[in-house]
Amino acid sequence: MPNNPTLHLSIGHALKTVGKQAEAIDAYRGAYRVAPDFGDAYWSLANLKTYRFEEAEIEGMREYEAASTTKLVDRYHLCFALGKALEDRGQYAESFDYYERGNRLKREEVRYDWTRIDKEMKLQIEHCTPALFAANQGSGCRAPDPIFIVGLPRAGSTLLEQILASHSMVEGTMELPNILALAHRIDGRRRIGEEARYPANLAELTADELTGFGEAYVRDTAIHRKLGTPHFIDKMPNNFRHIGLISLILPNAKIIDARRDPMSCCFSGFKQLFAEGQEFTYGLEEIGHYYRGYVDLMAHWNDVLPGRVLRVDYADVVGDLETQVRRILDHVGLPFEQACLDFHQSERAVRTPSSEQVRQPIFTSGLDQWQHYDPWLAPLRAALGPQAEAHTP
């Protein structure tokens, strides 16, 4: 193999995607053998979720993370990997220290402002009214092909995708950027500090424009469809912020809200180093505020678009898989197939951090892992407010 750690890493990612875990592990190890302080190699091993680090690997990670010569990007990758390695060993205090350090370093890099996103969500509530949807009834592209799975990352969306994509009439694709790009396009170019035009300007769009946007979405996403099935899944979680737009341009699309207990969901996001996006996850306060905004916005969609979105709770799926599978298929309008219960036997490629977990039968061990870290989660509880104490209704 060549002396290029990035190439080893890319090979590992490709092998992981198609379920060849042993070969992926060899490739990731090959990456850090070429470049011992290459943080992404260690994080990629941790991100398998099922890999357990050896003592020598942990000591090596500690050494490189502490070295003054280690680059910032490698340092925060090493921090997240050490957090996972020590969590698996039950060393929760030290594990949290590394998770917190990695998040702090990443947060300083992305410079996320939670108030801006909070304002964007409130604008959706303000402008996406019953009157808007009533005025545009009958508009949009009538294609029933798309199934949107929305919510927060680490809320069980990959599991729901795997269940649905095991159906003979559904294809899983990936987290498609098309809706986010369309919202950005409708908003138009703005100067710094200039007020957003979207979503207020949704009321200005004509029926032909709405139909055209929907047709373009179906046409542009066709490149990701390989199986010729009637339906496909768009698993971009952030699409929950644009359910109004989706409903206007694709009125026959189905939408599923993957919901997870607030503390569990938020802390799971805090532990995750994402390849891109999801900047709100790199701080306990930031992710708590984001979760509250998400709950408020989903409640709004349920009010103004009753029956449009099916909420599926992760704990309910774990507790009674068949009942939830039948609910999901009824919502999508598909007949029951046993393969949806046997989703872990699917050989489809999975690109998200949960790829190895969804190749196993349902397990309950992940529901309350956050409780090991409860002594350090006061900022999250404060940001969540009433949401922290009970599962949202």
Side-chain angles (χ1 to χ4, degrees):
M1 289 288 287
N3 243 10
N4 185 332
T6 303
L7 181 56
H8 284 271
L9 189 77
S10 297
I11 292 170
H13 291 342
L15 291 165
K16 169 190 171 181
T17 297
V18 297
K20 296 184 177 181
Q21 186 182 102
E23 294 92 332
I25 289 171
D26 286 342
Y28 292 144
R29 284 175 165 171
Y32 76 61
R33 289 191 186 106
V34 173
D37 63 351
F38 185 36
D40 204 349
Y42 300 97
W43 168 244
S44 296
L45 287 166
N47 206 26
L48 290 170
K49 309 303 181 188
T50 54
Y51 182 78
R52 297 297 177 263
F53 286 97
E54 298 174 359
E55 184 66 35
E57 291 175 310
I58 293 175
E59 290 309 308
M61 286 191 287
R62 291 183 196 271
E63 177 184 342
Y64 294 119
E65 193 281 324
S68 60
T69 54
T70 300
K71 297 176 183 177
L72 172 65
V73 63
D74 292 311
R75 175 165 283 111
Y76 60 66
H77 277 90
L78 286 163
C79 284
F80 278 93
L82 280 163
K84 179 65 167 65
L86 295 166
E87 178 181 4
D88 291 337
R89 293 182 168 214
Q91 297 171 229
Y92 299 115
E94 190 178 9
S95 168
F96 182 80
D97 285 343
Y98 278 112
Y99 279 138
E100 197 282 327
R101 189 184 313 175
N103 274 283
R104 184 175 69 251
L105 293 170
K106 184 66 175 178
R107 186 166 66 248
E108 291 170 358
E109 180 183 80
V110 302
R111 299 188 180 279
Y112 170 77
D113 178 10
W114 71 266
T115 61
R116 180 179 63 83
I117 300 299
D118 187 65
K119 183 177 181 180
E120 288 182 11
M121 293 193 205
K122 286 181 168 59
L123 286 173
Q124 295 285 335
I125 293 174
E126 178 182 351
H127 294 290
C128 293
T129 63
L132 172 68
F133 299 113
N136 290 283
Q137 194 166 8
S139 300
C141 171
R142 316 308 289 182
D145 306 30
I147 301 170
F148 293 91
I149 300 179
V150 303
L152 266 67
R154 310 299 298 154
S157 59
T158 303
L159 173 60
L160 299 187
E161 178 195 39
Q162 187 80 341
I163 289 169
L164 266 172
S166 299
H167 197 283
S168 63
M169 298 176 69
V170 181
E171 179 176 4
T173 59
M174 56 189 293
E175 296 179 0
L176 303 176
N178 300 65
I179 293 296
L180 304 184
L182 176 59
H184 183 73
R185 175 184 165 193
I186 294 172
D187 192 28
R189 292 185 178 182
R190 289 187 282 123
R191 296 184 179 89
I192 296 175
E194 186 179 354
E195 288 297 314
R197 290 184 283 273
Y198 169 85
N201 61 357
L202 286 176
E204 302 168 12
L205 298 176
T206 67
D208 286 345
E209 286 176 315
L210 295 174
T211 300
F213 287 145
E215 290 173 346
Y217 172 87
V218 174
R219 182 178 63 250
D220 294 345
T221 55
I223 190 173
H224 303 287
R225 303 175 68 178
K226 312 297 184 185
L227 304 181
T229 57
H231 301 281
F232 71 99
I233 301 168
D234 180 341
K235 204 181 74 65
M236 173 60 73
N238 301 0
N239 281 338
F240 82 86
R241 287 160 28 196
H242 305 287
I243 287 176
L245 173 61
I246 292 170
S247 297
L248 290 171
I249 69 171
L250 293 161
N252 291 332
K254 303 300 182 182
I255 306 173
I256 297 170
D257 171 23
R259 190 74 64 97
R260 188 174 175 186
D261 174 81
M263 292 294 291
S264 181
C265 184
C266 291
F267 187 65
S268 185
F270 182 77
K271 295 191 302 178
Q272 183 68 39
L273 177 58
F274 292 92
E276 60 182 356
Q278 316 306 353
E279 288 87 356
F280 65 91
T281 63
Y282 299 116
L284 293 175
E285 292 184 30
E286 287 83 351
I287 198 169
H289 285 295
Y290 191 91
Y291 190 98
R292 287 181 65 176
Y294 152 70
V295 169
D296 290 345
L297 184 51
M298 291 309 302
H300 172 74
W301 298 134
N302 289 333
D303 286 343
V304 299
L305 296 165
R308 190 80 173 84
V309 181
L310 177 71
R311 171 175 158 180
V312 181
D313 288 271
Y314 180 71
D316 292 340
V317 176
V318 172
D320 187 351
L321 176 62
E322 182 169 349
T323 295
Q324 296 306 311
V325 167
R326 291 183 181 278
R327 282 184 70 229
I328 293 167
L329 293 177
D330 284 347
H331 179 71
V332 176
L334 294 175
F336 175 80
E337 289 184 0
Q338 180 64 30
C340 295
L341 293 181
D342 300 330
F343 63 88
H344 54 283
Q345 297 177 10
S346 171
E347 296 182 358
R348 62 178 290 267
V350 183
R351 297 176 174 84
T352 65
S354 304
S355 60
E356 292 310 310
Q357 292 165 306
V358 299
R359 292 190 175 102
Q360 305 169 23
I362 287 284
F363 62 95
T364 61
S365 59
L367 289 175
D368 299 316
Q369 287 178 341
W370 68 269
Q371 293 181 357
H372 297 299
Y373 295 88
D374 194 48
W376 306 284
L377 300 184
L380 175 57
R381 285 187 177 279
L384 282 170
Q387 295 292 343
E389 301 308 320
H391 204 309
T392 51

